[in-house]
Amino acid sequence: MGIESPDSYQVWSAQEIPPYMEPYERITRFLREVRRALNRVSLGEAALAALAILGVATVAALALAAALGLGPGRWGWAAIGLGLVGAGIALWRLWLRPRGRRAADDELALWVEERIDGLQSGLVTAVQTRAMVAAPDARPLGFSATLAREAAAQTSRGIAEVIPRTLPERRRLKRLLGVAAGVGACMGLLAVATPELYTEGGALLVAAPEEEALADGVRLVPVAMSQLNLEIVPPEYTGIKPRKLDRSAGDFEALAGSEVRFAGTALYDAKEAYLALESDPEGRWALDLSADGAVKGAFRVGASDRYQFVLVDKQGATIHEKAWRSVDSRSDAAPEVELLLPESDLEVKPDDQLSFFFEASDDYGLDRVELVIEDETGHELDRHVVRSPRGERLSRGDEGVAVARLELEPGDSAELHFEAFDLNSLSGPGIGKSASRRITLYSPEAEHDRLLEDLDRLIDRMIDVLADRLESPIEAKETLRLANYVATGQGINAATLRLVADMTTLVNGFSTDALVSDELRTALREVRERQQEIADQEGAHLRRSVLGTANVEDDVMVMLLFEANNEGASELESGVLRLHKLLDESRKDSVLDAGRELLETQNEIMDLLKQLKDTKDPKALEAAMKKLKKLQEKLAKLQQELDKLRERAPYENQNATRRPSDNQKSMADMKSTMDKIQELLAEGKVDEAMKLLEELGKNTQELMAALQNDLDAGGSMSAAARQKAQEFSTKLDELADGQRGLKGETGELDRQIDERQARELQEQAKQALEGAKQQARELREQLDGVDDQPLHPSDRDALEQLREDAAALEKEIARGDVGKAAELAQKVAKQAGALKAEVHESEERELDQRRLDGLKAGGDKLGEGEGKAEQLAETLEGLKPKPGEGLEPGEQGEAQRLSERQGELGKKLSELEGALKELDKDMPGLQQEMGEPLEQAGKAMGEAKGELDGQRPGEANGKQQEALEHLEKAQQSMQQRMQQKGGGGDEQQTGINDPKAKVDIPEEDPYAAPRTFREEVLKAMKERAPDKYRDAIQRFYEELIK
Amino acid sequence: MITHRSIGTAIASILIVISLGANAHAESAEQRAAEDALASWDIPEAEQIVARLNAGAPGDAKNLFLTGHLHLMKGDYQQAVDYLGQSVHASADPLAAHYFALAKATLEETSGYTRHLTADGNFLISYPPGVDAVLVPYAEDTMARAWKALTKILDYTPERPVRIEIYPTVDVLGAVSPLTVAEIRTSGTIALCKYNRLMITSPRDLVYGYDWLDTLAHEFIHLLITKKSHNNVPIWLHEGLAKYYEVKWRDVPPTLDRQSEALLAQAITDDKLITFEEMSPSMAKLPSQEATATAFAEVYTVIEFLNKRHGSDVAAPLVAAMGSGESDREAVSKVAGMPFDRFGRSWKAFLKQQGYRPRDLAYDQRLLFKGKHSEQDELAELKVDKAKELVWLGDQLRLKKRWKAASKEYRRATEFVGELSPLVQGKLGLALLRTGALEQAAAELLKPIALYPRHVVLQVYLGEALVKMGRYEEAREHLEEALTINPFDPDVHGNLAIVYDQLGEHDRAAAERKAHQLVNAQ
């Protein structure tokens, strides 16, 4: 049904409206107002949507422009264009199209009737009948005009109360308002946060493209070169054939280093042609351009880039291509190398031979594979080629390494890895590196430390079990709770058995540990056995209780379990204490060992620095630096040992802030001194470094003295026992010193007597000696006359020795030393006899007649020589003075005096043996250890006295030497025991004794160190020590004495 | 542990004398007067003379030295360094060099310190920023009470404010005084009155702290004596007076602790009393903490004896006599009313009458310094090896928080050392406390407390046990005692806060909570 537009309505002025038309007029006005309201709302919606779209588009455009930069940035306008399109669509969809729909009154009336109840199509009817009612003559009415008017009047009354502006739905308007506001806010925020987005983006949007900024005389063309043919020649080392790309657009991918040859035709009449790279916009590479426009050139591919051709025409104008052609450079990947075996780090022994397996690969072929060995700091110890595949892409193999070659010290480590090199001769070979394996040279010390750590953990677990036992509920001894006790007991029993298993493991470990003391080994074994017994016994009770096989009442079983638990706790207590004590002692030893190592290393460094100073040898510097590193490690080790030694015991109060101990501070200072020494050496300041090293040495001495003091303070011996041990040691030293002095004096007396007798003999028995001399000469000639050719090689050697002895005999006779000469003559006789027997044996085996004759002759001559030697020995014996017979009264007196002294020393030794028995109570096992050497010393001293009494100082001297050796052995044992017990004697350990320094001993006072101790200190100073520590030593002893 | 006028004064005096002898010809009477004023800590007098000297010859090396010395005594360390530095440049005088080094070290050590003037304006307390601030309120309270009591006893009021410096470690005390760290640790001298100021080490540098508040009062007595006597009191009387009156701020009669009694008894039995001459020039130079403690006990009894003979406090007349130029013998004879030799015999007789008994103490209480003493040293105080072992075992169990097991081991240790060892009883008390056996814990902790009231651990744990039992008044007594020894234990403040709250003293509770926070943050 066609609807007329409102324009076609007859319009009356207010005065002209006939009364019957008034309802229609009101309806028309109502609809008009509704339309206006609707249009306003839809216009608002459209405007807000358009604004939001345009806002987003603007931001997008600015962002795009900023991102793309000058020129391409103008693509941002596309976003704006899209925005405008979007805005247009929004206007159309939200405003224009609905507006058009609302233009017809009947459509609008329908829309209104949907929203207002009770109109009952009156509004539509009124709209449709209005024209007919207004002009009834125009067409016949199909209904009653009155009825229509009445209906319109009713409808007009129905809408009288309706306010047209309330009809439009405004929810979308509000939503869009929110969106637009949001967009606006975002834009505002962006303006604040990144104002450059607007300024720069805007500028880029409107700026002219770069091309347009080119100077006059430049033409931009889409393409300047056609029929472009490329030939890509990969680097020679790859062995890959060249590749051709005919009629290419110019884009290609190639291996870095490839040579690219190209040919094409210039599309413009040009006089010059160039190549330009995007990465170097100013650069131009001239190309061959022939008259017919053919262009040729080449370049080498480096990094990825873009290029284009540039022509210069006859007029001198430059023709640029608009587009770039891309070169995608592919780099030659480094080789890959894998260390296949061993799969993990190794602990090795010095004579081990190791094999390392590798697999290496490379995309264009391997050049070589090398094995690299580095020390812990990364310094290369060795590097050598293990394979040279020369272009193969895969290589596998192994390489042997002798540990000895690495010159590692126990505990030292080295890192090994393979490196594979490719053939890249252009940018240098690519290098692939495998994973590393660490090899550590087995160190008994490290192993010992590990076992001690295990022992520490074991003690900790023992304390856990002890706690369980002490807190066991069984102490309540309630029969009714037997089941509960059994359950708890089983848990504790199982834990005890685990302890026993751990102890067994440790016992096994200690069995191969040469550094552990026998005492600790035994203690651990005994503690384990005791725990095993307890666990067995307790386990038996528990089993019987669980199985119900116990033939005792519950109360008895509770008692049995209680007793077993108590016994277990008691044994654990004593076991923990015993092992802890021994562990502590072992750690103290470790601390002192670490300190000694520290000092030794300092000595070595000092020697190296002296060498460096004298020779400027860089190797000495390198060695010194290496030693310094070792020194730092040793200091760290010392620190570590000290930390382990620190008791885990709580202070009662929470005065919590800890401060480093004096020793810790000293060590920190020492560490910084070491760093400083390293710096100085690196700067070549050797003198200053030496000075600092000396200072370091002094500090180390002081630290060791302090540590020794600390360790002694917590030592296991009582003060009285220490004093006793010290006194014993002093007396033993005195005795050894006495014996040493006596031996010297006896030797001197013997020498004097010998010399005098020789002089006298020479005078008195000149003739006799002349005879002996003659005999000796004959003997020598006799031996010289033996043909050594037929003799067996060993016999030849013996003959040679015999001749030498005969010559020596001759000389001794010439010197007049009858005693020695007689001894030599006897020796020669004996040797000649033995050799003769050997020669006769050879005769029996010899088949060659000529050689047999030679042997027989030789044997005979030796026999004669033997006889002559015996005769000579007899002669000489006859010339020797009888014991005491040749001694002058003074010498006899001296021998007697020495004998008495020897007797006194023997008495002292007896006293010491008595004291040893006493001391053994404090130092169990000492008598067993020292008893024998002291006994032997006593025996030798007694024999020496006997010889002196018999006026035979020469013989006595030999016995005295024997006694002295036994005494020194005893001294050594004592010293070791003192060290173990922390009872002093450390002076020798630290090597810090200066024999020359003088130290004033203060007067005795009640608070000073005991006199014996001070004397001991002085005695210790007689020991030798490096000169450079003299000052430190002096201070050290002065401190000790104070 | 207790302090004294240190050797530094004596050394300085000797050096001054030597210096004077050497430069007598170059010195004016005015310069000598300045030296005398400085030596007797008469700062106002010294200021006047030095001002006059500087007006005449400001560049004179001796005047520069005196000015620098004066600034050192006044606490103007920067000025002291400047003047003494110039003096050293001008004269190369060893005494000036000594003071220059001292002033420089003091300036370096104290330059960042916080200063607090007490509310009464009597003391200026300097302390390193940080946790040592916790000491200040207690120090202020104590010193206010000490000022009141001691200025009356000595009948002397010094110029205000008296400077107190608190050092974080003994190393600092060693750096700013003539004592070495070794001497400090050996003798237990952790505080000094010197250079016109009181110097103490913070209790936090000691494992268990020390009776620092008594020590502060002790040092204050030294200051009063030095000033009143123009520095004419010998060390033995100085220390006797200070030791005797150091607890007067608490408003309790002085008593000799049981350990000192035991030491005295031993010395009397062995006839090894330390002579007054041996106590000079400084108690800090005595060879051990035991010797120092014996000497202090002796001089304490001297004052006790004099007071009893005199019938009232002898401090004021004794010091006044020496201030007026009398010798110590004359002054003592005067107040004792007998010749000095007879006094010596009477005093020894008095000592014997006291009935002090040597005790076979299972524990030697002495100061344990951080960095010097380890846990092993603490354990070494026990005299019985078996007890040591059991305590060690108990400690290991305690570290694993196996309190019941630990308490058993500690209790077994008491079988060997008795129940009066503060170390073992403290550990046993704590273990019982943690197992919840509060009554038992308190009972065990109480056993040695009469003999070792200064063993802070007993006070702390007993306080905690009593707080948990709701016996707040009793807890207060022990916790406040603990504060006078080691205020760096956060639990003490935490428990005191509870106690004060329960007793309705909310302000003090708040202060303790603040202290708790401060100490906890260390």
Side-chain angles (χ1 to χ4, degrees), chain A residues 864-973:
Chain A
E864 284 169 25
E866 182 188 7
K868 282 183 177 172
E870 279 171 353
Q871 202 181 350
L872 178 57
E874 213 174 297
T875 309
L876 289 167
E877 279 297 329
L879 289 173
K880 271 174 72 177
K882 300 290 169 285
E885 157 190 314
L887 265 59
E888 287 185 348
E891 290 164 342
Q892 286 173 5
E894 180 65 10
Q896 190 55 42
R897 189 184 66 78
L898 292 175
S899 166
E900 281 166 15
R901 271 186 60 193
Q902 186 63 76
E904 281 166 19
L905 288 175
K907 272 185 205 162
K908 280 187 182 173
L909 178 67
S910 302
E911 284 169 17
L912 265 184
E913 283 176 311
L916 180 65
K917 278 181 196 162
E918 278 299 305
L919 193 58
D920 189 66
K921 290 172 191 166
D922 294 312
M923 299 171 82
L926 188 67
Q927 193 175 13
Q928 195 184 358
E929 208 173 316
M930 291 178 60
E932 203 202 328
L934 288 184
E935 195 185 333
Q936 292 297 329
K939 197 177 156 199
M941 284 159 91
E943 288 171 354
K945 186 173 182 324
E947 295 292 348
L948 284 167
D949 287 339
Q951 305 286 304
R952 292 181 295 275
E955 283 79 352
N957 205 17
K959 293 294 174 191
Q960 284 170 337
Q961 172 63 30
E962 205 180 305
L964 186 60
E965 280 167 11
H966 290 302
L967 286 176
E968 282 172 348
K969 198 173 165 192
Q971 275 181 303
Q972 208 175 347
S973 300

Side-chain angles (χ1 to χ4, degrees), chain A residues 460 464 467-468 470-471 475 573 580 647-649 651-655 657-659 661-662 1007, chain B residues 171 185 205-206 287 370-371 373 375 392 396 398-400 402 405 408-409 412 427 461 486 489:
Chain A
D460 197 55
D464 284 332
D468 290 341
L470 290 173
E471 293 182 352
E475 64 181 10
E573 267 178 14
H580 172 258
E647 277 294 356
R648 290 177 308 149
Y651 274 136
E652 293 306 321
N653 214 0
Q654 290 87 359
N655 210 351
T657 47
R658 278 194 175 267
R659 57 184 263 179
S661 72
D662 293 350
Y1007 302 101
Chain B
D171 307 61
R185 282 173 172 166
D205 198 40
L206 285 95
K370 284 185 183 176
H373 297 109
E375 291 88 338
W392 179 84
Q396 302 314 303
R398 174 180 156 179
L399 286 170
K400 292 172 179 287
R402 305 297 292 262
K408 284 188 173 181
E409 296 294 355
R412 282 193 57 208
K427 287 171 185 282
Y461 296 153
N486 182 22
D489 183 343

Side-chain angles (χ1 to χ4, degrees), chain A residues 404-653:
Chain A
R405 262 188 55 215
L406 303 178
E407 295 176 351
L408 296 176
E409 286 179 25
D412 277 2
S413 295
E415 299 263 355
L416 289 97
H417 70 266
F418 288 100
E419 284 183 11
F421 295 76
D422 66 15
L423 292 159
N424 191 340
S425 53
L426 296 170
S427 59
I431 304 169
K433 191 176 164 185
S434 74
S436 293
R437 295 282 180 271
R438 174 186 288 258
I439 59 169
T440 307
L441 189 61
Y442 170 76
S443 156
E445 286 84 7
E447 179 65 17
H448 178 63
D449 287 349
R450 267 198 297 277
L451 287 168
L452 290 185
E453 287 301 306
D454 289 347
L455 178 61
D456 200 12
R457 281 190 286 275
L458 174 74
I459 292 171
D460 197 55
R461 288 195 294 277
M462 287 171 80
I463 293 169
D464 284 332
V465 180
L466 173 63
D468 290 341
R469 287 200 181 278
L470 290 173
E471 293 182 352
S472 166
I474 202 165
E475 64 181 10
K477 289 186 268 187
E478 291 171 11
T479 309
L480 287 174
R481 296 179 63 196
L482 177 60
N484 185 21
Y485 296 158
V486 168
T488 310
Q490 282 174 323
I492 294 174
N493 192 255
T496 308
L497 287 170
R498 282 196 295 275
L499 275 183
V500 170
D502 291 345
M503 286 177 193
T504 306
T505 309
L506 204 50
V507 164
N508 292 338
F510 278 138
S511 67
T512 54
D513 178 4
L515 299 174
V516 75
S517 68
D518 287 341
E519 206 179 351
L520 179 53
R521 219 179 264 143
T522 309
L524 185 60
R525 210 168 35 239
E526 287 174 2
V527 170
R528 181 194 58 176
E529 281 161 13
R530 206 54 207 109
Q531 287 300 315
Q532 180 75 62
E533 282 169 23
I534 286 163
D536 291 347
Q537 192 186 14
E538 190 178 44
H541 293 326
L542 290 165
R543 265 194 306 281
R544 281 207 302 275
S545 187
V546 170
L547 297 172
T549 56
N551 50 4
V552 293
E553 296 295 324
D554 281 1
D555 56 343
V556 177
M557 182 51 77
V558 167
M559 272 313 292
L560 286 172
L561 291 177
F562 173 76
E563 292 297 340
N565 187 61
N566 267 5
E567 196 181 353
S570 169
E571 284 297 332
L572 267 174
E573 267 178 14
S574 57
V576 165
L577 290 171
R578 190 175 172 193
L579 294 177
H580 172 258
K581 192 173 159 190
L582 292 169
L583 173 65
D584 219 27
E585 282 172 8
S586 297
R587 284 186 167 156
K588 284 174 184 173
D589 286 347
S590 297
V591 166
L592 295 175
D593 284 345
R596 275 195 292 278
E597 284 175 19
L598 208 61
L599 285 167
E600 280 165 17
T601 312
Q602 283 172 16
N603 281 341
E604 289 164 12
I605 296 173
M606 187 56 94
D607 291 342
L608 284 167
L609 292 187
K610 276 182 183 162
Q611 193 188 333
L612 174 65
K613 197 178 163 191
D614 296 341
T615 63
K616 312 276 180 220
D617 181 2
K619 277 186 186 166
L621 176 64
E622 194 183 327
M625 292 295 249
K626 202 174 163 188
K627 286 276 176 200
L628 262 170
K629 204 185 139 282
K630 279 264 167 240
L631 193 63
Q632 282 175 324
E633 285 169 11
K634 280 172 182 166
L635 184 70
K637 189 185 165 198
L638 180 62
Q639 174 80 64
Q640 211 179 349
E641 295 295 337
L642 273 176
D643 288 345
K644 282 182 200 161
L645 204 57
R646 280 181 78 84
E647 277 294 356
R648 290 177 308 149
Y651 274 136
E652 293 306 321
N653 214 0

Side-chain angles (χ1 to χ4, degrees), chain A residues 810-829:
Chain A
E810 213 177 345
K811 277 182 193 165
E812 288 300 337
I813 294 170
R815 280 182 57 225
D817 195 335
V818 179
K820 275 190 186 166
E823 275 175 26
L824 265 176
Q826 279 166 359
K827 189 180 165 191
V828 168

Side-chain angles (χ1 to χ4, degrees), chain B residues 148-257:
Chain B
K148 201 173 156 192
L150 298 171
T151 52
K152 192 175 161 194
I153 288 170
L154 279 151
D155 190 22
Y156 179 79
T157 305
E159 312 89 63
R160 301 185 316 158
V162 171
R163 286 179 297 115
I164 298 174
E165 287 177 4
I166 301 172
Y167 306 125
T169 62
V170 287
D171 307 61
V172 179
L173 180 63
V176 302
S177 76
L179 292 179
T180 65
V181 173
E183 282 169 348
I184 292 169
R185 282 173 172 166
T186 306
S187 66
T189 308
I190 41 182
L192 285 175
C193 174
K194 200 159 173 55
Y195 312 123
N196 194 35
R197 68 183 192 266
L198 317 185
M199 302 183 267
I200 68 160
T201 308
S202 170
R204 78 183 158 104
D205 198 40
L206 285 95
V207 177
Y208 292 122
Y210 66 100
D211 41 2
W212 66 284
L213 287 174
D214 286 347
T215 302
L216 259 182
H218 181 105
E219 299 307 325
F220 181 50
I221 298 168
H222 282 312
L223 183 121
L224 296 176
I225 295 171
T226 307
K227 284 183 170 268
K228 179 171 175 146
S229 70
H230 309 296
N231 208 354
N232 275 330
V233 174
I235 195 72
W236 66 279
L237 272 177
H238 238 293
E239 293 299 353
L241 289 164
K243 179 69 189 162
Y244 188 80
Y245 291 109
E246 69 183 18
V247 294
K248 277 289 183 182
W249 66 274
R250 295 170 183 255
D251 204 18
V252 292
T255 49
L256 196 60
D257 63 75

